[in-house]
Structures are given as C-alpha cells and as structure tokens.
Amino acid sequence: MTRGKALGLAGSSGLALFGALGHLPKGLGVLGPDRALAEATPSGQAHAASFQSHALGSRLHFVVHMPASYAGGSGRYPVVYFLHGLPASPTSYLQLTWVAEALAQTAREAILVIPQGTRVADSDPEYHNWAPGDDWETALAQELPAWIDTNYRTLADRRSRAIIGYSAGGYGASIIGLHHPEQFSVIQSWSGYFQPTDPTGRKPLSVGSVAENDQANVEHLIPALPTQFAQHPTKFAFYVGASDPTFVPANSSLQQALTAARIEHLFRLYPGGHTTALWRAHAPAWLALAVDSLTGALVV
C-alpha cells in the first residue's frame, strides 16, 4: 500500500528550462548470470533482475524496462531510476508497470529501472542509510547504477541519469539525488515530502544525531545548493496535488525556500489528492520533461 502521508500555489522559478509543462494543470526473467527470460512490454522488453548488494547484505531486486529499439540496435541510452512509495511490501516495485507505459507514450528512448524500496512487508526504511546491511541510499545511488551500467547499454554519465519517485519515493529521489550530484542530473518528486517521516507521514522521523537529521532534510541542504548546482548542473522539479491531505505544506515550504535562495527549479500544484490517478495523469509529461533534460535522449 502506498504511504498515505495524509497533504499554495507559490510561483516557480526556472520556467525557461521547464516550459514543456507550462500548459498542464504508482513470469519476468533475470539479467546477467541469473538470466532466465524476457517479457515483451509496451515499451519494448522488461527484465526482472537482482544482484548481491553489499550495502544491504542481501540481494537487491528491480525491474529494467528497455525501449523498443534496444533489442535490435547497438546504441546506448539514458537511464531513469524510479522509486515507489512507502510503507510497502518487498514486491511493490512490480506494480509500477504504468510508469513504463507512460514513458512509452512519450516516444522518448530511455531505460527505466524500478527497484524495490524495502525487504519487509509494510516496512518504511525511507531510502536512508541506517547501518551496514541496511544502507538503502548507498545501494540505490551507487551499487544499482554501477550494476546497470555494467549489464546494459547505458550512457554511463550523470548527465544521462534521472532519479524520480512518488510519495516516499519522491523524498527518496530528492535526498538521494541531492546527496549524490555526481550520479544524477535530473531529480523529480511527485507528491513527495522533504524530510524523513513516520509511516503516517505526519511526524518527522529522527535518523540519529542533529547533524544526521540535517543531512536528511532537503531544506537544510539549500545553503549548499548554489555551489553544488554550479558544479553539477541539476534540473530539480516537484509537484503535489492541491487536495493532498498531508504534503502541500512541505512542498510549498520548499518552493518558497528555493525561490528565496534563487535556486532554479520547477514547482507545480495540480488539482487532485495523494493518488495513483494523479501520478498516472501527469506521468507522461513529467517523464518527457526528465528524459528531454538528459544527454543522449532520443525522440522516436
């Protein structure tokens, strides 16, 4: 079940970069040594895959969706990493075929990777590094891209990688992307929040010391972002539904803080709540926006 972290339209900056949204109001096989079979999908092919993660002390599972042109060619592709909501089950990532369908609708050529975000039913690790053997951020920011780049024809460069997520996955994408600017050049949060919370989404969650909590809070990273974005140009975009029962304040607060700091970004407030219907409705436009910002992206 997607986290029900129960949620003003402020202005947005950087609209010249994001003008594409100006008009717009969640039997596979295994790749590599465990390869079994591939399944045809609207976007081409999908592989269920896994590898032994040192950061997690267990296997990390995920699905890789290839564009339709992948099997018959030799070209390399940008990669979109997509994170699901929490709390969730270990197999919740398998339910996000609609993301691949939305990407196919855009006619953009990119590889889509959708990893698991928990190993225990109803678990809520917040995409955080908790301790050796439970370091989700390291697994997803470093180990997974390295494995994908080794096993698929990718453009292995930050300029060709995006990280996106909805709800808790929006937090995960934001914090992982900002913590690892050497890995990702596009960051998107769909109905997300910007500091760790308990499973209800209504209470902040401490991840340790004051310093650790500061590092896990996106707004607390803002003072360093002008320098970081100058060194590592990044397209940061986020949206929330106006009727979201929990996360409108968090999104509006971040929008205001980024604007005050003159940090280029895109923010949108859409009609709707904290629902898959909202995310599916806007997925093609926002995925197109992400892929169009990546080096090597193609439109077919």
Side-chain angles (χ1 to χ4, degrees):
M1 178 178 181
T2 300
R3 166 174 297 215
K5 291 176 169 183
L7 293 190
L9 182 58
S12 56
S13 63
L15 295 186
L17 290 173
F18 299 105
L21 293 184
H23 64 288
L24 299 174
K26 172 185 198 314
L28 296 175
V30 176
L31 185 71
D34 302 316
R35 167 172 270 174
L37 55 90
E39 178 178 283
T41 68
S43 60
Q45 286 186 322
H47 292 147
S50 69
F51 63 86
Q52 184 65 26
S53 165
H54 177 75
L56 296 177
S58 65
R59 298 193 76 81
L60 176 67
H61 298 267
F62 47 93
V63 176
V64 184
H65 295 268
M66 282 78 70
S69 63
Y70 188 93
S74 59
R76 295 186 174 273
Y77 297 82
V79 185
V80 175
Y81 292 85
F82 196 95
L83 307 183
H84 63 73
L86 298 169
S89 76
T91 58
S92 291
Y93 70 102
L94 295 173
Q95 300 171 10
L96 270 64
T97 54
W98 59 266
V99 182
E101 293 166 359
L103 180 57
Q105 290 175 29
T106 72
R108 269 66 173 179
E109 295 276 78
I111 295 170
L112 174 68
V113 181
I114 305 176
Q116 70 181 125
T118 178
R119 293 171 293 182
V120 180
D122 297 321
S123 179
D124 186 18
E126 293 290 282
Y127 295 102
H128 182 70
N129 277 350
W130 293 100
D134 198 23
D135 285 343
W136 285 94
E137 179 177 325
T138 297
L140 298 175
Q142 298 179 352
E143 293 180 335
L144 180 57
W147 195 94
I148 294 294
D149 288 343
T150 298
N151 288 276
Y152 289 87
R153 299 196 314 272
T154 69
L155 292 164
D157 187 280
R158 71 172 302 273
R159 296 171 297 176
S160 299
R161 294 193 200 103
I163 187 164
I164 302 172
Y166 68 81
S167 194
Y171 168 69
S174 298
I175 203 69
I176 289 173
L178 294 177
H179 281 176
H180 299 272
E182 77 287 351
Q183 292 286 71
F184 306 100
S185 63
V186 173
I187 302 168
Q188 289 185 4
S189 168
W190 304 357
S191 301
Y193 49 94
F194 303 103
Q195 65 175 327
T197 74
D198 72 352
T200 71
R202 294 176 171 87
K203 296 181 180 179
L205 177 68
S206 176
V207 298
S209 66
V210 171
E212 289 172 317
N213 287 332
D214 284 343
Q215 275 297 105
N217 188 318
V218 171
E219 282 202 38
H220 292 183
L221 303 179
I222 287 177
L225 291 186
T227 298
Q228 179 173 312
F229 283 6
Q231 295 175 342
H232 300 282
T234 301
K235 306 293 179 62
F236 184 51
F238 55 107
Y239 73 77
V240 70
S243 301
D244 192 307
T246 306
F247 299 136
V248 170
N251 281 262
S252 296
S253 177
L254 181 63
Q255 148 67 15
Q256 293 163 11
L258 290 171
T259 299
R262 299 184 178 181
I263 294 171
E264 199 165 49
H265 65 285
L266 172 70
F267 171 61
R268 286 286 184 264
L269 185 72
Y270 292 124
H274 197 78
T275 65
T276 302
L278 176 72
W279 306 323
R280 292 185 72 150
H282 295 288
W286 280 68
L287 289 168
L289 176 71
V291 177
D292 286 350
S293 298
L294 298 176
T295 298
L298 298 175
V299 179
V300 296

